[in-house]
Amino acid sequence: MMALLRRELGIMVAVLVALAGCAAQQKAPGAAGGAVPGVTDTTIKIGGVLTKTSASGYSTKDAEIGAKARFERANATGGVHGRKIEFVGAEDDGQDAAKGDAAAKKLVQKDQVFAVLPVHAPNFGGAAFLEQQGVPWYGWATGPQWCGTKTGFGYSGCLAPKPGAGSQTWWGRQMADLLGGADGKSVYVQTSDSSGSKYGGKTISQSFEAAGFTLVGLNSALPAAAPPPDWLPYVNKIMTSDAGRPPDIVVSIIAGTKFNVGLYTALKKAGYKGTLSDATSYDVAILKDPATAQAMEGVIAAPMFEPFESTAPEIAQLRQDVEKVAPGTPLTQHLAIGYWSADIFLDMAGKAGKDLTRQKVLDVGNGSYSYENAGFGRVQYPKDHAEPNGCGALVKLEGGAFQVAKNMKCFDNVPLK
């Protein structure tokens, strides 16, 4: 009889131990009430979506290096409340919205990531899925899919505000400071016929007007598919736009170095002596080709982060972090976007506390969240779900090298007309 009781007691203990083991496997520590995808006692799993390849050759793959560099420093200093970041890298959406949606679903459903970053893809198609699933995602908010969400956190805020929402003034005001004021100065804005370029033309034009410049032209007739065989029609409009005279500033909102090289070369050939500015020419690849570098000489680029040539401690830290994970890697805009996106996530996750859940991160991000860093300026959520962060810098290509023209600075937005 005693032997039978001992045998039954042993079976009961074994069952209880097994059940306890199952419960421990199903419940992530710190996740009250159930498992948290991507979270264990010691790790937080993260993965991103980038446009690594595309038919045009456009690539944001360097953002992966930037994110990895920031995560590696975080891990070296103890992680987030003792949990280290397990970065699984980024999926390639091939600049295709459907592939971006599939990539987001793979990361969440198969790979079980906690959050998605960096997201740096012009045609990202996974926004609706991530919003529906309540998965936080971070990157460069260049398209309307970022705006109006509760889960998407762009380091730049929403860059496609709706009419009436705040629209940036920093580019125009930084340029006014650089040129000694805007009084009596004119600006002409050239875009392509793509929806993104045209929308950018609208917001950037208003930025310069808010700074006191006179807008004398906004041309969105340039085909976005390829540079035109003849730039003369566009150049003629620009050169006579200010009551028959050239404008003081020409701003190009065109995606691609080939476009800008063509436009700037034609303008200089026509005798243009004013200021040229765009958002994409801060690119070390430009310096590798003497002809391209010559065409871009004197151009003032407008990055939304502190330039790599800056003496700011935050940029010295970025350089050091990147060198540790990828020695000799050129510093690019895409790399910076990955780095600062990761930085914001780490800050937000840290403020969410040790009992980490996606909802707690979202509660932090959407609950009067404010974070400033000299590397990218500031973010203020939930406000920045609807408008840009209002921050940017200026860089000038001079003598074959990039130089800081204006350090990162933030300005108040104005309602978009």
Side-chain angles (χ1 to χ4, degrees):
M1 184 66 176
M2 290 299 295
L4 180 61
L5 286 173
R6 284 195 296 269
R7 180 173 176 272
E8 289 180 349
L9 182 60
I11 292 173
M12 289 177 65
V13 170
V15 170
L16 289 172
V17 170
L19 289 173
C22 289
Q25 289 178 358
Q26 292 172 1
K27 183 176 178 180
V36 178
V39 177
T40 71
D41 266 334
T42 57
T43 62
I44 305 170
K45 186 183 288 188
I46 303 292
V49 180
L50 304 175
T51 297
K52 293 184 177 181
T53 59
S54 67
S56 65
Y58 176 77
S59 174
T60 66
K61 62 182 177 62
D62 290 354
E64 190 170 52
I65 299 173
K68 182 179 180 181
R70 184 63 186 91
F71 286 146
E72 286 297 309
R73 175 158 65 90
N75 289 343
T77 55
V80 181
H81 295 293
R83 294 186 176 99
K84 294 190 176 182
I85 303 298
E86 180 188 346
F87 184 48
V88 299
E91 299 290 317
D92 180 13
D93 80 341
Q95 207 166 356
D96 181 285
K99 290 182 179 179
D101 183 46
K105 289 175 178 175
K106 173 184 178 295
L107 287 168
V108 173
Q109 296 173 338
K110 182 181 178 181
D111 298 337
Q112 293 282 293
V113 300
F114 177 80
V116 177
L117 75 117
V119 176
H120 185 12
N123 296 331
F124 181 57
F129 169 75
L130 295 176
E131 182 78 357
Q132 187 270 329
Q133 295 292 313
V135 179
W137 48 297
Y138 303 76
W140 196 18
T142 53
Q145 66 269 34
W146 287 87
C147 304
T149 74
K150 291 183 178 180
T151 57
F153 298 93
Y155 90 95
S156 53
C158 159
L159 296 183
K162 294 181 179 179
S167 185
Q168 66 96 343
T169 64
W170 71 264
W171 194 342
R173 288 178 173 168
Q174 285 277 57
M175 191 67 78
D177 288 346
L178 181 66
L179 300 180
D183 289 348
K185 295 185 177 70
S186 59
V187 60
Y188 184 100
V189 179
Q190 178 68 61
T191 87
S192 72
D193 61 3
S194 74
S195 58
S197 183
K198 287 192 288 187
Y199 197 94
K202 180 179 180 180
T203 59
I204 301 308
S205 294
Q206 184 170 310
S207 177
F208 277 80
E209 288 181 301
F213 292 96
T214 299
L215 181 68
V216 294
L218 172 56
N219 185 345
S220 299
L222 180 66
D230 183 9
W231 282 100
L232 192 58
Y234 303 96
V235 169
N236 286 342
K237 284 186 178 182
I238 293 171
M239 294 296 286
T240 57
S241 61
D242 188 3
R245 301 185 302 273
D248 295 290
I249 305 169
V250 174
V251 178
S252 170
I253 312 297
I254 308 170
T257 300
K258 290 182 179 179
F259 281 87
N260 286 326
V261 165
L263 176 61
Y264 299 157
T265 299
L267 279 169
K268 290 177 180 179
K269 187 175 181 180
Y272 184 70
K273 303 295 183 182
T275 300
L276 300 170
S277 186
D278 64 59
T280 60
S281 291
Y282 186 34
D283 183 355
V284 292
I286 287 172
L287 306 180
K288 295 179 181 179
D289 177 44
T292 300
Q294 181 58 41
M296 306 299 278
E297 177 72 14
V299 173
I300 297 174
M304 296 186 72
F305 55 88
E306 180 70 353
F308 301 123
E309 292 75 19
S310 169
T311 58
E314 292 81 1
I315 301 306
Q317 183 69 69
L318 179 152
R319 287 178 168 277
Q320 181 179 329
D321 294 345
V322 171
E323 189 63 20
K324 282 184 178 179
V325 302
T329 297
L331 301 179
T332 67
Q333 175 173 260
H334 305 307
L335 183 150
I337 289 164
Y339 186 92
W340 295 122
S341 299
D343 186 72
I344 292 172
F345 167 77
L346 291 167
D347 181 76
M348 202 175 285
K351 290 174 179 175
K354 185 171 179 60
D355 295 335
L356 188 65
T357 67
R358 287 172 176 163
Q359 188 57 53
K360 287 185 177 180
V361 170
L362 295 177
D363 288 345
V364 168
N366 293 312
S368 299
Y369 176 76
S370 181
Y371 176 47
E372 293 190 24
N373 185 306
F376 65 86
R378 69 186 178 201
V379 283
Q380 297 172 312
Y381 281 99
K383 180 174 72 73
D384 287 354
H385 284 309
E387 60 184 77
N389 70 348
C391 311
L394 298 178
V395 177
K396 186 175 184 179
L397 180 58
E398 195 166 28
F402 290 113
Q403 301 180 15
V404 179
K406 296 292 294 184
N407 291 101
M408 168 65 61
K409 191 173 181 180
C410 300
F411 297 84
D412 290 338
N413 295 331
V414 296
L416 181 65
K417 298 176 183 177

